[in-house]
Amino acid sequence: MDIGGLRILGIETSCDETAAAVVHRSPDGVGTILSDVVLSQLDLHAAFGGVVPELAARSHVSVLDRLVSEALAESGVALTEIDAIAVTSGPGLIGGLMVGLMTGKAIAMATAKPFMGVNHLEGHALTARLTDTVAFPYLLLLVSGGHTQIVLVKGVGDYERWGTTIDDALGEAFDKTAKLLGLGYPGGPMVEQAALDGIPKRFRLPVPMRKDPRLDFSFSGLKTAVRQMAEAEAPLSRQTIADLCLAFQVSVTASLDDRIAMALERFSQRFGTESKPALVVAGGVAANTAIRTTLERRADKAGFRFIAPPPNLCTDNAAMIAWAGAERMAAGLPFDTLDLAPRSRWPLDQTAIALIGHGKRGAKA
Ligand code: KG4
Ligand code: ZN
């Protein structure tokens, strides 16, 4: 029978997943997911080739109450036994954030429990400490539909953003490339699948930002290059689509590899590698096998552990929000009041300069 620790109810509604979860954090920092309910809105947005914010918010409203009840029931924890409510309060689509916040605040108010607004990116950043024992500091590569960032995670609430995209997020680039090649949404898995049949080196694309001393990313030029090649080859055969997908994947993988090699070097110079620090990769794009394999090899070579949380915890979920809430509470960080406002843009590193595309994906549909 567990006596100590924290039990946190988490809520996530910042994009196109409605999610609720209950997570336990023991006093020595071990996390256990007691329930993790996610309802994807994929089908709702598929016809539009991207997330439609208004539809997303309406859908969150209609299912969130039920998901919270399910998460509580599955966890076996009564609402009265919950220590705090943690809700994503940004960055993200404002309508969805409002739905989650209102629900979380209502529960907190009705039960007189502490309430925390959690940064969605902090959820992604700390997931590795829920799934694996990872000590601070570590390096995080966050690659999703809305974010592409290299972040130094120094502690709970203590982040340095080392690099970000200057245009499209990587998942967004996968999605747009898939769309222009006539593949479905979300594009990442489709491009990866098609690339399996691709003929290597039939098309060659540049590697964005290679050797650039800034640790930033850029993917929109690549997408344009694919478009131009596709137009030149039209009408596209299945084989040509596969070949273009492979060329795109090879190029973005090489770009990530180049950027991460530089980041690992910078980390090593500052902290050393004696303690075998971790390179953590998170976000939906981390599900890509070619990318994972390449980064793992790179980490290995540089003397780092490679940690990629399981795909269901890489993509958006509420367990990561509950966990970030638990970590914040354990670190003694303050709770929020019930007048907390949602923030569509909210960089993890408040000192980092805002670059286009660093925020959560917006009305990209
Ligand atoms: O983290 P996520 O579920 O949602 C947010 O954007 O926050 O990431 C979704 C993104 C989409 O752009 C999707 O195309 C991409 O992750 N993705 C992939 C793969 N699976 C999902 N990209 C490349 N390869 C994949 N296997
Ligand atoms: Zn996310």
Side-chain angles (χ1 to χ4, degrees):
M1 239 292 275
D2 175 82
I3 30 166
L6 300 169
R7 288 171 197 78
I8 309 291
L9 170 65
I11 293 177
E12 157 64 39
T13 54
S14 68
C15 196
D16 56 348
E17 264 91 27
T18 319
V22 178
V23 164
H24 177 257
R25 185 186 187 283
S26 70
D28 56 354
V30 175
T32 311
I33 299 175
L34 302 178
S35 66
D36 180 18
V37 188
V38 182
L39 193 72
S40 168
Q41 302 177 355
L42 258 188
D43 295 345
L44 186 66
H45 303 288
F48 303 96
V51 180
V52 183
E54 177 68 20
L55 291 181
R58 283 167 190 264
S59 174
H60 289 309
V61 171
S62 61
V63 298
L64 184 56
D65 285 359
R66 174 168 63 80
L67 293 200
V68 169
S69 304
E70 274 177 32
L72 282 166
E74 257 179 47
S75 73
V77 179
L79 191 50
T80 50
E81 296 169 322
I82 292 285
D83 294 292
I85 325 289
V87 183
T88 306
S89 57
L93 301 173
I94 203 77
L97 292 170
M98 285 166 70
V99 174
L101 274 180
M102 293 305 281
T103 305
K105 286 174 183 178
I107 297 171
M109 198 169 180
T111 56
K113 302 278 182 192
F115 163 81
M116 284 174 276
V118 169
N119 185 313
H120 178 88
L121 302 174
E122 184 164 41
H124 280 304
L126 296 176
T127 299
R129 286 169 51 83
L130 167 63
T131 57
D132 299 74
T133 15
V134 186
F136 298 118
Y138 57 89
L139 199 64
L140 169 76
L141 171 68
L142 175 59
V143 274
S144 70
H147 320 286
T148 307
Q149 306 193 348
I150 298 177
V151 178
L152 172 68
V153 183
K154 290 189 285 186
V156 179
D158 192 6
Y159 309 95
E160 265 177 43
R161 196 189 71 199
W162 281 7
T164 188
T165 177
I166 58 173
D167 41 57
D168 292 347
L170 182 51
E172 193 180 356
F174 266 101
D175 293 339
K176 287 178 175 171
T177 300
K179 197 173 179 178
L180 74 91
L181 294 176
L183 302 172
Y185 174 83
M190 307 280 182
V191 170
E192 180 173 22
Q193 185 61 35
L196 291 175
D197 300 321
I199 300 168
K201 299 186 185 159
R202 176 171 164 212
F203 296 104
R204 279 174 195 271
L205 290 164
V207 177
M209 307 296 277
R210 178 172 262 171
K211 302 277 175 257
D212 191 299
R214 293 164 298 170
L215 278 174
D216 293 328
F217 301 89
S218 168
F219 300 110
S220 78
L222 207 55
K223 174 197 64 199
T224 309
V226 175
R227 172 175 291 123
Q228 283 163 352
M229 285 177 176
E231 279 167 5
E233 297 285 330
L236 298 177
S237 66
R238 257 182 77 103
Q239 187 60 53
T240 298
I241 292 173
D243 298 345
L244 284 168
C245 285
L246 181 60
F248 173 82
Q249 190 171 275
V250 165
S251 165
V252 300
T253 304
S255 181
L256 290 182
D257 191 31
D258 174 72
R259 316 286 59 217
I260 283 300
M262 199 178 279
L264 294 176
E265 178 59 34
R266 191 193 279 189
F267 186 104
S268 306
Q269 279 171 10
R270 190 156 145 194
F271 302 105
T273 52
E274 293 73 30
S275 59
K276 203 153 169 77
L279 168 67
V280 174
V281 52
V285 183
N288 186 290
T289 306
I291 291 176
R292 269 173 115 106
T293 314
T294 302
L295 293 175
E296 183 162 17
R297 205 173 302 137
R298 176 63 60 191
D300 222 47
K301 230 168 150 178
F304 282 67
R305 276 170 79 192
F306 178 75
I307 294 173
N312 64 317
L313 291 174
C314 272
T315 53
D316 290 350
N317 64 86
M320 70 178 189
I321 303 302
W323 174 249
E327 290 257 84
R328 291 186 71 84
M329 201 168 158
L333 293 171
F335 296 120
D336 288 299
T337 49
L338 295 184
D339 58 356
L340 181 77
R343 297 176 65 176
S344 58
R345 290 202 165 244
W346 183 8
L348 253 192
D349 177 352
Q350 307 281 347
T351 62
I353 325 154
L355 291 179
I356 313 156
H358 82 281
K360 184 80 182 171
R361 72 182 155 196
K364 71 168 189 157

